[in-house]
Amino acid sequence: MITAIVLIKTSVDRIPEIAESIAALDSVSEVFSVTGTYDLIAMVRVKAHEDLAEIIPGSISKIPGVEGTDTHVAFRTYSQHDLEAAFALGLDS
């Protein structure tokens, strides 16, 4: 499974509708409305790298009101559970 974090610039007055359109796409697991340089962040999960081309430039970028994207492909995923295990030193008092 390949995870991509897609930072999305949108028309500010259409953020809710654009977020809902992106969230409705099959490979998108979550969409967050955020502060900062970008308006939305979408979590995209696909089986192969080639699938990213279909979902990001092929679908997300074509949604009316999407002005641009910046995509980051994850190397590894760490959950809170994994982080707790990784940082546990086993130093019981």
Side-chain angles (χ1 to χ4, degrees):
M1 182 68 63
I2 297 163
T3 300
I5 298 93
V6 185
L7 309 174
I8 305 163
K9 283 189 160 258
T10 69
S11 300
V12 178
D13 59 334
R14 301 200 50 233
I15 290 173
E17 307 98 87
I18 295 167
E20 288 178 14
S21 294
I22 294 169
L25 298 170
D26 285 338
S27 298
V28 176
S29 60
E30 298 97 15
V31 177
F32 303 95
S33 175
V34 296
T35 62
T37 305
Y38 293 91
D39 303 301
L40 299 171
I41 297 176
M43 302 301 292
V44 174
R45 292 182 173 86
V46 295
K47 292 182 181 181
H49 283 97
E50 296 80 23
D51 298 332
L52 291 175
E54 291 180 28
I55 189 71
I56 299 166
S59 296
I60 292 175
S61 294
K62 291 183 178 177
I63 292 173
V66 171
E67 298 173 354
T69 62
D70 186 6
T71 302
H72 299 262
V73 177
F75 292 127
R76 292 187 180 155
T77 301
Y78 299 92
S79 70
Q80 186 63 34
H81 180 265
D82 293 340
L83 290 175
E84 288 173 4
F87 289 105
L89 298 176
L91 299 176
D92 294 331
S93 305

